[in-house]
Amino acid sequence: MWKTLSLILPVLIPSWRFFKAIEPSPRVQWSFLSDVDSHARDWQGFRPRPLAVTPLQMLGRLFWNPAWNDSLFVVSCAERIEQQPTDHSITEIARRIQADIEKSQVYANAQFFRFRLIFVHRDGTGLVEDIVFLSDPVAISAGAAC
């Protein structure tokens, strides 16, 4: 009985000792561009966390939360880009941003968008944003253009 319990307990209560260090995770932000040469303004957080989650929503998310799993994949891609940029990771993030843009149908006559990765950290009493990656402009598909 004790042997079985000792095997099941680590599954129910995982150990967090496998982290070598806890470091900030890059945040993904995106902005519309009117053309390839324009400067990005009004950066928006990509899939920001909700400000509040009800207990019922928390319970439901324990069993079904594909949007969160997809957001974790985006963070994983962002961490890979920060360490060593690859076309695959850049494309995966751009593809998800484009899908969200097309779903929301808010384009403001934009033809392109750009995304960036930032780290936010405390410096004294304030917060500092360090930009670690800035993508090339990405064309918004014909289906999304106004």
Side-chain angles (χ1 to χ4, degrees):
M1 176 72 172
W2 290 110
K3 179 72 171 168
T4 304
L5 187 58
S6 70
L7 293 173
I8 293 175
L9 198 57
V11 173
L12 299 175
I13 306 171
S15 169
W16 296 99
R17 287 184 279 163
F18 58 85
F19 289 115
K20 293 177 184 166
I22 297 174
E23 298 177 0
S25 181
R27 297 182 186 181
V28 179
Q29 295 180 332
W30 64 276
S31 179
F32 286 119
L33 301 173
S34 56
D35 58 58
V36 176
D37 298 323
S38 64
H39 293 286
R41 297 183 187 96
D42 301 325
W43 290 97
Q44 302 176 43
F46 179 59
R47 296 183 183 165
R49 292 183 177 187
L51 296 175
V53 179
T54 66
L56 187 60
Q57 288 174 319
M58 279 192 254
L59 182 64
R61 288 176 174 197
L62 283 174
F63 300 103
W64 182 252
N65 198 356
W68 180 251
N69 289 340
D70 195 53
S71 293
L72 288 176
F73 176 70
V74 169
V75 169
S76 175
C77 288
E79 288 171 347
R80 280 187 247 145
I81 291 171
E82 188 266 329
Q83 292 173 0
Q84 183 176 351
T86 63
D87 288 340
H88 173 266
S89 295
I90 294 167
T91 302
E92 287 298 320
I93 292 175
R95 192 168 61 89
R96 282 164 172 74
I97 292 171
Q98 179 144 0
D100 281 10
I101 289 171
E102 291 175 5
K103 193 181 338 178
S104 69
Q105 297 182 354
V106 180
Y107 327 114
N109 295 323
Q111 305 268 330
F112 300 89
F113 71 91
R114 169 177 263 169
F115 73 90
R116 68 183 183 181
L117 306 179
I118 63 167
F119 281 108
V120 179
H121 62 90
R122 285 203 185 279
D123 187 19
T125 59
L127 293 177
V128 177
E129 292 182 352
D130 293 328
I131 300 170
V132 295
F133 177 80
L134 184 64
S135 74
D136 294 329
V138 178
I140 296 174
S141 71
C146 294

